[in-house]
Amino acid sequence: MFVLEVTNDELMESLTRQSKERGIMNAAIVSLIGGVDSFTVSTMPADDAGKDLVSTYSLPAEMHGSGEIKDGVVHVHATMAVQGDRAVAGHLHRAQVGTWFARAYVITVD
Protein backbone atom coordinates (compact mmCIF):
# COMPACT_ATOMS: atom_id res chain seq x y z
CA MET A 1 0.00 0.00 0.00
CA PHE A 2 1.10 3.53 -0.79
CA VAL A 3 -0.08 6.70 0.91
CA LEU A 4 -0.14 9.77 -1.32
CA GLU A 5 -0.34 12.95 0.79
CA VAL A 6 -1.34 16.35 -0.57
CA THR A 7 -0.77 19.71 1.12
CA ASN A 8 -0.97 23.17 -0.45
CA ASP A 9 -1.67 21.83 -3.94
CA GLU A 10 -4.43 20.89 -6.34
CA LEU A 11 -5.49 17.37 -5.38
CA MET A 12 -5.98 15.67 -8.75
CA GLU A 13 -2.79 17.13 -10.24
CA SER A 14 -0.80 16.11 -7.17
CA LEU A 15 -2.18 12.56 -7.10
CA THR A 16 -1.38 12.20 -10.81
CA ARG A 17 2.14 13.55 -10.35
CA GLN A 18 2.87 11.45 -7.27
CA SER A 19 1.55 8.24 -8.81
CA LYS A 20 3.70 8.76 -11.91
CA GLU A 21 6.77 9.49 -9.75
CA ARG A 22 6.20 6.14 -7.98
CA GLY A 23 5.55 4.27 -11.21
CA ILE A 24 1.94 3.53 -10.29
CA MET A 25 -0.02 2.97 -13.50
CA ASN A 26 -2.94 0.83 -12.25
CA ALA A 27 -4.25 0.90 -8.70
CA ALA A 28 -7.29 1.08 -6.46
CA ILE A 29 -7.68 4.24 -4.41
CA VAL A 30 -9.30 2.44 -1.50
CA SER A 31 -9.72 5.53 0.67
CA LEU A 32 -9.42 9.27 0.19
CA ILE A 33 -9.77 11.56 3.21
CA GLY A 34 -9.05 15.16 4.02
CA GLY A 35 -10.22 18.73 3.88
CA VAL A 36 -10.30 21.04 0.87
CA ASP A 37 -10.82 24.78 0.38
CA SER A 38 -12.74 24.53 -2.91
CA PHE A 39 -13.73 21.81 -5.35
CA THR A 40 -15.34 20.88 -8.67
CA VAL A 41 -17.51 17.80 -9.14
CA SER A 42 -19.80 16.51 -11.85
CA THR A 43 -22.91 14.38 -11.97
CA MET A 44 -25.08 13.08 -14.81
CA PRO A 45 -28.40 14.65 -15.77
CA ALA A 46 -31.39 12.36 -15.17
CA ASP A 47 -32.25 12.25 -18.88
CA ASP A 48 -28.77 11.65 -20.35
CA ALA A 49 -26.13 9.51 -18.63
CA GLY A 50 -23.66 10.45 -21.38
CA LYS A 51 -23.44 14.10 -20.29
CA ASP A 52 -21.70 15.83 -17.39
CA LEU A 53 -23.15 18.56 -15.21
CA VAL A 54 -20.06 20.26 -13.76
CA SER A 55 -20.36 22.38 -10.61
CA THR A 56 -17.64 24.38 -8.85
CA TYR A 57 -17.92 25.25 -5.16
CA SER A 58 -15.85 27.91 -3.41
CA LEU A 59 -16.57 26.28 -0.06
CA PRO A 60 -14.37 24.41 2.39
CA ALA A 61 -15.34 20.77 2.72
CA GLU A 62 -14.53 17.60 4.60
CA MET A 63 -13.87 14.97 1.95
CA HIS A 64 -13.99 11.21 1.63
CA GLY A 65 -13.96 9.10 -1.48
CA SER A 66 -12.46 6.28 -3.49
CA GLY A 67 -11.42 5.63 -7.04
CA GLU A 68 -8.82 4.17 -9.29
CA ILE A 69 -5.71 4.85 -11.30
CA LYS A 70 -6.08 3.28 -14.74
CA ASP A 71 -3.23 3.59 -17.24
CA GLY A 72 -1.86 6.46 -15.17
CA VAL A 73 -5.15 8.42 -15.11
CA VAL A 74 -6.58 9.23 -11.66
CA HIS A 75 -10.37 8.84 -11.36
CA VAL A 76 -12.06 9.71 -8.05
CA HIS A 77 -15.64 9.81 -6.82
CA ALA A 78 -16.03 11.79 -3.61
CA THR A 79 -18.49 13.14 -1.11
CA MET A 80 -17.81 16.64 0.17
CA ALA A 81 -19.41 17.64 3.48
CA VAL A 82 -20.09 21.40 3.57
CA GLN A 83 -21.58 23.86 6.04
CA GLY A 84 -25.15 23.18 7.06
CA ASP A 85 -24.73 19.42 7.33
CA ARG A 86 -24.99 19.07 3.55
CA ALA A 87 -23.16 16.74 1.19
CA VAL A 88 -22.13 17.31 -2.42
CA ALA A 89 -21.10 14.16 -4.24
CA GLY A 90 -19.88 13.20 -7.68
CA HIS A 91 -16.93 12.68 -9.99
CA LEU A 92 -14.11 14.85 -8.64
CA HIS A 93 -12.52 17.11 -11.27
CA ARG A 94 -10.43 19.28 -8.96
CA ALA A 95 -9.99 20.19 -5.30
CA GLN A 96 -7.72 22.80 -3.81
CA VAL A 97 -5.98 21.64 -0.63
CA GLY A 98 -4.58 24.45 1.49
CA THR A 99 -5.84 24.76 5.03
CA TRP A 100 -5.79 21.04 5.78
CA PHE A 101 -4.48 17.96 3.92
CA ALA A 102 -5.63 15.05 1.82
CA ARG A 103 -4.42 11.45 1.86
CA ALA A 104 -5.11 8.75 -0.69
CA TYR A 105 -4.49 5.15 0.34
CA VAL A 106 -3.53 3.27 -2.82
CA ILE A 107 -3.12 -0.44 -3.56
CA THR A 108 -1.51 -1.33 -6.87
CA VAL A 109 -3.06 -3.95 -9.15
CA ASP A 110 -1.56 -5.95 -12.00
Side-chain angles (χ1 to χ4, degrees), residues 12 15-16 27 29 66-70 72-77 90-92:
M12 300 302 286
L15 293 179
T16 299
I29 299 172
S66 60
E68 67 180 359
I69 301 169
K70 178 70 174 155
V73 177
V74 177
H75 182 162
V76 171
H77 287 192
H91 172 85
L92 188 62

Side-chain angles (χ1 to χ4, degrees), residues 1 20 54 71 86 97 99:
M1 177 177 295
K20 287 184 185 202
V54 179
D71 298 326
R86 296 179 298 137
V97 179
T99 303

Side-chain angles (χ1 to χ4, degrees), residues 14-45:
S14 182
L15 293 179
T16 299
R17 184 176 60 252
Q18 289 184 60
S19 63
K20 287 184 185 202
E21 288 170 355
R22 293 177 186 224
I24 302 169
M25 292 300 294
N26 295 292
I29 299 172
V30 296
S31 180
L32 174 67
I33 64 163
V36 302
D37 297 311
S38 61
F39 59 96
T40 300
V41 295
S42 68
T43 57
M44 298 175 277

